[in-house]
């Protein structure tokens, strides 16, 4: 196991993308091994690296970690992106949970049928503008601070920016009614580590395409269509 953090996943976003975002926000360099064949995946399974027989898997600090939330929590705590006390950590967990729920509607999108994609697109925009974004708009307006929790940059800010950009890929003007979030997006995007991650040539992955979907289906032997939310 090398000293540098190493990620095992597909060459695409999926559940690993939030891990890439958080590592990048913390200024941590990482390597990636992309799963392209069923044989690679089975080798990890046979070697006992995938505790619950699934990826993402991350090698960090001498550990092989699975379960996305556990990985993210560890990274956030290690790099001081998890609040200064238990109360702040609880708020970060709540806000991250909300953005995860929103992202869940988007993560399944590439795997849907054409008919379901049309319905899901409308659902994503509706959920973002009526359930999730109003919460963060109010939080930022009420406390008048630059960040979501404790006026310090945290995992919650990273996760929210990722979610905002994902929804904007579905509807570019989705923040038109949310001035606080517009300012938040500009502010967080200008943080040096985030700015670097948003630049061309970074390890940020593009919108999933048909090649990514086909690879995931082949490696995981997904012989069915995912249903829309």
């Amino acid at each position: 196991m090398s000293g540098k953090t190493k990620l095992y996943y597909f060459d695409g976003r999926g559940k690993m993308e939030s891990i890439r975002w958080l590592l990048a926000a913390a200024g941590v360099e990482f390597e990636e091994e992309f799963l392209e064949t069923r044989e690679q995946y089975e080798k990890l399974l046979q070697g006992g690296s995938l505790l619950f027989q699934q990826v993402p898997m991350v090698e960090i600090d001498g550990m092989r970690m699975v379960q996305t939330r556990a990985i993210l929590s560890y990274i956030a705590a290690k790099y001081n992106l998890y609040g200064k006390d238990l109360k702040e950590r609880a708020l970060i967990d709540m806000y991250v949970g909300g953005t995860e729920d929103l992202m869940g509607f988007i993560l399944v999108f590439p795997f849907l049928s054409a008919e379901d994609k049309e319905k899901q697109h409308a659902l994503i925009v509706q959920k973002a503008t009526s359930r999730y974004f109003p919460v963060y708009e109010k939080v930022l307006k009420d406390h008048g601070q630059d960040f979501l929790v404790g006026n310090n940059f945290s995992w919650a800010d990273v996760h929210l920016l990722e979610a905002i950009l994902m929804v904007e890929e579905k509807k570019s003007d989705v923040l038109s009614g949310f001035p606080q979030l517009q300012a938040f997006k500009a502010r967080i995007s200008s943080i040096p580590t985030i700015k670097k991650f948003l630049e061309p040539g970074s390890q940020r992955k593009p919108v999933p395409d048909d090649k990514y979907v086909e690879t995931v289906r082949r490696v995981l032997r997904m012989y069915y269509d995912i249903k829309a939310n």
Side-chain angles (χ1 to χ4, degrees):
M1 191 180 296
S2 67
K4 185 177 286 189
T5 298
K6 187 171 183 179
L7 318 184
Y8 293 79
Y9 199 67
F10 307 98
D11 187 8
R13 289 184 183 176
K15 290 189 174 183
M16 185 64 89
E17 189 70 356
S18 292
I19 297 169
R20 297 185 185 104
W21 266 88
L22 196 57
L23 287 169
V28 178
E29 293 185 359
F30 56 90
E31 300 173 345
E32 300 193 68
E33 180 171 318
F34 298 125
L35 300 181
E36 299 175 343
T37 66
R38 179 71 186 183
E39 289 71 27
Q40 284 177 285
Y41 177 64
E42 289 180 346
K43 184 177 180 180
L44 289 175
L45 288 174
Q46 292 163 7
S49 297
L50 304 183
L51 194 61
F52 299 107
Q53 302 179 25
Q54 60 193 26
V55 288
M57 191 266 280
V58 174
E59 289 182 353
I60 184 170
D61 294 343
M63 299 184 291
R64 288 188 174 94
M65 294 193 69
V66 296
Q67 293 297 325
T68 308
R69 176 57 80 96
I71 296 166
L72 289 166
S73 297
Y74 182 82
I75 295 167
K78 178 178 173 68
Y79 295 104
N80 300 314
L81 295 169
Y82 211 174
K84 69 178 186 297
D85 56 32
L86 193 59
K87 186 175 288 187
E88 287 192 359
R89 183 167 293 194
L91 289 171
I92 290 168
D93 283 339
M94 284 198 303
Y95 297 151
V96 165
T99 49
E100 280 181 348
D101 290 345
L102 175 56
M103 286 189 213
F105 294 105
I106 304 172
L107 288 176
V108 302
F109 188 85
F111 298 91
L112 300 176
S113 66
E115 181 181 357
D116 280 344
K117 279 183 178 178
E118 185 175 347
K119 298 175 184 176
Q120 192 77 350
H121 185 281
L123 182 64
I124 290 165
V125 174
Q126 186 266 323
K127 293 290 187 182
T129 56
S130 67
R131 177 180 292 186
Y132 297 101
F133 287 173
V135 172
Y136 304 113
E137 181 78 6
K138 185 176 188 302
V139 168
L140 292 166
K141 182 177 181 180
D142 286 354
H143 66 40
Q145 298 175 337
D146 288 344
F147 306 104
L148 286 172
V149 179
N151 206 27
N152 287 302
F153 182 48
S154 77
W155 174 20
D157 302 305
V158 180
H159 220 48
L160 178 55
L161 178 61
E162 182 188 1
I164 287 171
L165 296 181
M166 289 172 75
V167 179
E168 283 187 331
E169 289 169 348
K170 302 301 180 191
K171 189 176 191 296
S172 60
D173 65 347
V174 73
L175 291 186
S176 60
F178 301 98
Q180 296 291 333
L181 287 181
Q182 291 177 39
F184 172 88
K185 174 191 168 186
R187 195 161 54 241
I188 304 303
S189 296
S190 68
I191 292 171
T193 53
I194 297 291
K195 184 177 180 180
K196 182 179 179 181
F197 190 61
L198 292 173
E199 291 173 350
S202 79
Q203 288 169 289
R204 184 185 178 211
K205 303 305 176 189
V207 176
D209 58 13
D210 290 343
K211 181 181 178 181
Y212 167 77
V213 171
E214 192 277 329
T215 300
V216 173
R217 288 187 181 278
R218 183 180 67 252
V219 173
L220 299 183
R221 292 180 176 169
M222 293 171 55
Y223 305 121
Y224 56 88
D225 288 331
I226 291 176
K227 298 300 182 183
N229 286 283

